[in-house]
Every structure is written in structure tokens, then in C-alpha cells.
């Protein structure tokens, strides 16, 4: 058995998602990343560019650039349970080119990873594809409302007798 890829996780462990992608010399590349609720909380998106080119990403009112191999955690400025405009651009012949356009469903009780990678279809005019991984979390339980403090003045500290 040959080793296809290797990586090291921290000794304390954790919740990791392992991404396997083609690497140099027909080898596999593996990238573990922390996918714990603390690292990618509910209502957040981890946008990861695993392609070889810089992309511009627009999700609702949020805009950012992501370099090859980089990722960014973002929270959309959008209402829960709504479709949010999504656009992704790359650069082609020195000009900005729209490569992904559509609407993405936003959920407050989900955390998502949006992966942008090179297309494996050699006849595709645009060599980029997007894959979404969604983890639905249970809705947060409302915290009990603390009891309202009510104060009845006792005769000793009542101001009724003051003139």
C-alpha cells in the first residue's frame, strides 16, 4: 500500500474536515481545516479558493478578494431564510470575468463551506467550479427570561412618611 497523502493534526484533536485535491507530480494534497462550531459558527460561511487564480467574491453586500489557496470566514449581511445574490469573478486577458452567478439560500442555523476549484472538464469555457458543503445546526434554544425583580417597600425604607 502506498501513502497517497499525509498530514498532522494537533495533539488535542478537534473537528476537522479533510480536503483532498490533486497535487504536483500526480500526488494527492490533503488539507485539514478546523470545522468546529467555534471556528465556523452557525450563520457563517468559510469561502475557500483552492484554484490557482485569484477570485473576487460577492455575496449580498459582502465583497472580498481571495488569493489562491486562501480562505476567509464571512457572515452575510442578509436576512435568514432568503436567497442572496452570489457572484464570483476571475481575471481573464487582463479583464474581470463573471464565472459564477446565481442566488444562494442563506440560513442562520447553517454553517457552510464554499469551495472554488479548477474545473476538471477540459471542454468547459470557464475553468472554475463551486461546491457548497452545508452543516445544519439545531436552532438555538431561547434562554429563559430572568424573573423581573419586584420591590415592595417595607415601612422601614418607605418614603411615604417623608414630608
Amino acid at each position: 500500500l502506498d501513502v497517497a497523502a499525509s498530514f498532522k493534526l494537533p495533539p488535542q484533536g478537534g473537528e476537522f474536515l479533510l480536503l483532498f485535491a490533486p497535487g504536483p507530480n500526480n500526488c494527492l494534497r490533503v488539507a485539514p481545516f478546523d470545522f468546529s462550531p467555534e471556528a465556523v459558527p452557525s450563520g457563517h460561511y468559510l469561502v475557500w479558493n483552492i484554484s490557482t487564480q485569484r477570485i473576487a467574491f460577492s455575496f449580498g453586500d459582502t465583497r472580498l478578494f481571495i488569493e489562491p489557496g486562501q480562505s476567509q470566514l464571512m457572515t452575510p449581511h442578509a436576512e435568514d431564510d432568503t436567497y442572496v445574490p452570489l457572484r464570483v469573478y476571475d481575471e481573464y486577458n487582463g479583464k474581470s470575468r463573471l464565472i459564477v452567478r446565481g442566488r444562494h439560500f442563506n440560513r442562520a442555523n447553517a454553517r457552510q463551506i464554499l469551495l472554488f476549484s479548477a474545473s476538471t472538464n477540459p471542454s468547459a469555457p470557464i475553468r472554475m467550479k463551486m461546491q457548497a458543503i452545508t452543516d445544519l445546526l439545531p436552532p438555538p434554544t431561547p434562554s429563559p427570561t430572568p424573573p423581573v425583580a419586584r420591590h415592595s417597600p417595607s415601612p422601614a425604607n418607605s418614603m411615604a412618611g417623608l414630608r
Side-chain angles (χ1 to χ4, degrees):
L1 224 345
D2 291 334
V3 174
S6 65
F7 58 92
K8 289 188 179 190
L9 292 175
Q12 71 272 17
E15 295 179 39
F16 291 89
L17 188 62
L18 305 178
L19 177 68
F20 292 85
N25 302 323
N26 292 326
C27 292
L28 277 179
R29 185 174 60 141
V30 62
F33 63 93
D34 188 353
F35 196 54
S36 67
E38 296 78 27
V40 184
S42 187
H44 287 69
Y45 291 77
L46 179 65
V47 183
W48 198 3
N49 180 6
I50 57 173
S51 77
T52 57
Q53 55 194 340
R54 180 181 195 214
I55 61 171
F57 179 80
S58 164
F59 189 63
D61 292 339
T62 303
R63 313 245 187 297
L64 44 101
F65 290 97
I66 306 175
E67 299 298 327
Q70 300 298 308
S71 65
Q72 290 193 30
L73 187 66
M74 52 131 337
T75 306
H77 300 286
E79 291 183 34
D80 186 27
D81 292 334
T82 59
Y83 284 94
V84 180
L86 170 75
R87 288 180 174 57
V88 180
Y89 300 85
D90 71 352
E91 188 175 317
Y92 183 72
N93 288 336
K95 295 184 180 180
S96 178
R97 173 178 64 168
L98 180 65
I99 57 174
V100 176
R101 182 170 107 182
R103 297 181 326 143
H104 191 77
F105 193 65
N106 182 55
R107 294 178 141 179
N109 71 323
R111 54 198 187 127
Q112 298 190 40
I113 301 169
L114 300 178
L115 296 170
F116 294 92
S117 62
S119 172
T120 55
N121 181 354
S123 63
I126 296 174
R127 307 280 299 154
M128 180 80 69
K129 65 181 177 179
M130 181 185 99
Q131 179 69 43
I133 300 170
T134 302
D135 184 23
L136 293 178
L137 300 173
T141 55
S143 59
T145 306
V148 177
R150 299 186 193 269
H151 179 68
S152 306
S154 65
N157 57 9
S158 172
M159 291 197 279
L162 296 176
R163 296 187 194 207

